[in-house]
Amino acid sequence: MEITTTDLGLAARVTHLSKTFGSGDGAVRALDDVSVGIRRGQFTAIMGPSGSGKSTLMHIMAGLDAPTQGRAWIGDQEITGLRDSELTVLRRRRVGFVFQSFNLVPTLDVMGNILLPFDLDGRRPNAAEQSRIDGLIDSLGLGPRLRHRPHQLSGGQQQRVAIARALATAPDLVFADEPTGALDSRTSREVLALLAVASREHGQSIAMVTHDPIAAAHADRVLFLGDGRIVADKPRQTAEQISAHMLSADRAPLMGAAS
Amino acid sequence: MTAVAAVSAPARPRRAAFLTERGMGASVLVAALSTAFGVILLSTTGYLSALLRAVFGTDGGTLGLMIAILSVIFMIIAMYVGAIVTANTFATIVAGRTRRIALMRLIGASAHTQRAEVARQGLVVGVIGAVVGLIAGVGLSYAGIALADAFLGVPEVSYAVVQAWLALPAAAVVLTTWAAAWTGSRRVLSVTPLQALGGSVERTAEQARGGAGRNVGAIALIVIGGALLGIGVALGLMTPLAIVVSFFGGLISFTGLVLGATLVMPPALRLVGSAFGRSATARMAAANALRYPERSSRMAIGVVVGVTLVTMFAVAAESAKAVMIANSGGAMGAEFATAMDLFAGIMMGLVAVSAVIAAVGLVNLLTIGVVQRRTELGLLRALGLSNPQVRRMVLLEAAHITITAVAVGLVLGIGYGWAAAQSLLGSISTAPGVIAGALVPPAVPWVPMVVIVVATAVLTLVASVGPTRLATRVAPVEALAAD
């Protein structure tokens, strides 16, 4: 009997994951034998410079892309080898997404966007889910805006709607891809605090991809990627510590090349 | 053909590169169809008058004139629909180029040179399409006349297909395509250099509202035309000459409806859209048609023009037939009925060409809509929209426009057709207990109506094949990574 993701206290994990884009001379190895788990109920930041493979890792963990080698699980469900239709349903029911920009469907109002995962599933939220959604709308301050369309909202408000949508189905895991990339610093802090609260107070597992040390400082755990590998796995860090680490990591390849 | 153009100018590949852009091929096709149709109509007209001359020794008098007038009218309709499609296509092409235009503006290009560039591309597209259409039209005319000579048993007529006047439709198509590209590129002027720096090219609000002046003009035309139509119908109780008043009433009011497409179509689209149900895919499909109301309205009106005309001819002919048969007490024989049906059939066949052009436009509209929504589709796929749901959504979008257009066209066509029959025949129609002058009951022939509905269903399915394939190929990662 194989040990399960749940036994390990993880919400999602990957083992010996590799991903290569292209072939022949033009091949790029985005991920190189990565094994890592996202702990249940924790807010994890995945950091690294551009091209470090952090987005690729997130895409595979979230069932958006297939690895070249290795295996991936969401909860106890292995997602490698699933068909596209199965992955679609899995994302719909068990994963939440917050993106940098263009998070919302412009033709649906706020309520339509929040309920979209249920609508796509062809059902209405049950009583428990409805009360969860009501709670989210309330705590995110979206009550007066439910009939607004995305273009009538500020960037921060749009990101709150995206967070409400991502949390509405109580997914195994919420993936946030540079969620503050398009926001000013004050709004960024608010959005990060909301994610931290969702994790700390409601036990929501969150994985956030970012290259911003200040954003990563809100997380319980910081994973550093470089050249397709996990180069460090640290508990909560200050922005200064994270910056220092990033700067040293940035110099490392140069030193390696010189030796 | 685009490849040939690109290859033949290796020194300056940029000059012709735009022809490979999405939408340009369709514009060439539309120009070619309009030209070929015009050439074939002119050849047919010329051949028929030569035939009449051979048979009767005259130009055919009124009959020949009527055929010539009808040819010109149908050519104008086809070119008009073609111009709508082309203007729409160029408007969407410009919307897709916003980023690039903004960059050029940032570097220092003026909005006017940018717009002139788009118009110049329209001219090139028009010329290519017209040449292709001219060649195809001449070829088909040769084939058709050879067939007529061989099989119809008509006397041998010496008729030269290649004549200078065949260049007229080609020239007209070049000019209308150029003008349509110019009209469609209006939005270039509203692109700001800042948009090159912005993160998003998605229009935040729907700014698309037709000019206020045009809307007032459209309403005025609808009111005046409607009034004339009413007078024509009333006069029709006294004299068949009322058809002249009604004709102009119909022409004016319909022009008003077409010009005011952005006033008339959105409410109709909204009504049909609300019938699609409350599921997320249905609501998004319905909303997509109204996202760019100007674009969808103009596209729908292209189909409306065709359906209205077909229905009008069918209803008018059927009503007239009913009156004639009633008046003659059944003595009016099968021969007359067959002649009327044949006439209506020819009219419908001619209008069908416009419908084909409108179909090209619909494919274009859907395709460009999908291309411009790649990121949104990627988001939806990430959130759990399955490929069958994507397929359903695109199909519903196509159905939304065609169903609305056909419904509006049927209503208008029945109305106009009845008005025509009433104006022409009101004074000779008899009803029980009335001596002279009565209402002509509108007779709706079911076969053409069924044909229209089935053709619409087929059109919808065919038009959504390509865009659906494009939409289901959007990989969520790819679309989101591009952001």
Side-chain angles (χ1 to χ4, degrees), chain B residues 11 41 64 67 70 136 139 152 205 212 226 231 320 328 345 356-357 367 479 483:
Chain B
L41 271 181
I67 293 171
L70 281 175
L152 287 182
I231 294 169
S328 65
V356 170
I357 295 172
T367 307
D483 203 41

Side-chain angles (χ1 to χ4, degrees), chain B residues 287-372:
Chain B
N288 280 335
L290 291 159
R291 183 181 290 194
Y292 300 99
E294 203 174 68
R295 221 189 261 179
S296 311
S297 301
R298 278 192 297 193
M299 194 52 255
I301 214 75
V303 180
V304 168
V305 171
V307 173
T308 303
L309 290 170
V310 170
T311 313
M312 182 183 81
F313 283 120
V315 169
E318 188 75 7
S319 303
K321 200 167 78 182
V323 168
M324 295 297 197
I325 290 171
N327 277 9
S328 65
M332 204 69 114
E335 228 169 87
F336 172 74
T338 314
M340 289 299 280
D341 286 347
L342 184 68
F343 174 73
I346 291 173
M347 297 292 135
M348 287 169 62
L350 291 175
V351 174
V353 175
S354 311
V356 170
I357 295 172
V360 175
L362 183 65
V363 174
N364 229 1
L365 180 82
L366 289 173
T367 307
I368 293 180
V370 167
V371 171
Q372 292 180 354

Side-chain angles (χ1 to χ4, degrees), chain B residues 162-262:
Chain B
V162 181
Q163 298 197 23
W165 66 336
L166 294 187
L168 282 178
V173 164
V174 169
L175 290 178
T176 51
T177 307
W178 191 14
W182 176 257
T183 313
S185 62
R186 188 161 40 95
R187 192 137 288 136
V188 170
L189 301 178
S190 66
V191 175
T192 67
L194 213 54
Q195 278 170 286
L197 307 171
S200 170
V201 287
E202 179 75 11
R203 272 200 308 179
T204 47
E206 279 145 29
Q207 316 149 336
R209 291 276 175 270
R214 191 176 50 179
N215 285 346
V216 170
I219 292 172
L221 287 177
I222 294 171
V223 170
I224 294 169
L228 280 178
L229 209 53
I231 294 169
V233 166
L235 281 177
L237 293 171
M238 290 168 266
T239 165
L241 284 177
I243 187 71
V244 177
V245 180
S246 293
F247 173 77
F248 284 105
L251 197 66
I252 292 169
S253 60
F254 195 57
T255 307
L257 284 170
V258 172
L259 289 180
T262 45

Side-chain angles (χ1 to χ4, degrees), chain A residues 16 53-54 59 62 74 94 108 131 138 141 144 165 194 222 250:
Chain A
H16 304 295
K54 58 186 192 303
H59 290 153
I74 286 179
R94 300 181 59 182
L108 296 177
S131 74
D138 198 37
R165 180 194 61 211
L194 288 169
V222 186
D250 211 23

Side-chain angles (χ1 to χ4, degrees), chain A residues 119-133:
Chain A
D119 269 335
L120 294 177
D121 220 14
R123 66 189 185 91
R124 311 291 308 163
N126 61 33
E129 287 163 337
Q130 191 57 57
S131 74
R132 181 183 170 82
I133 292 165

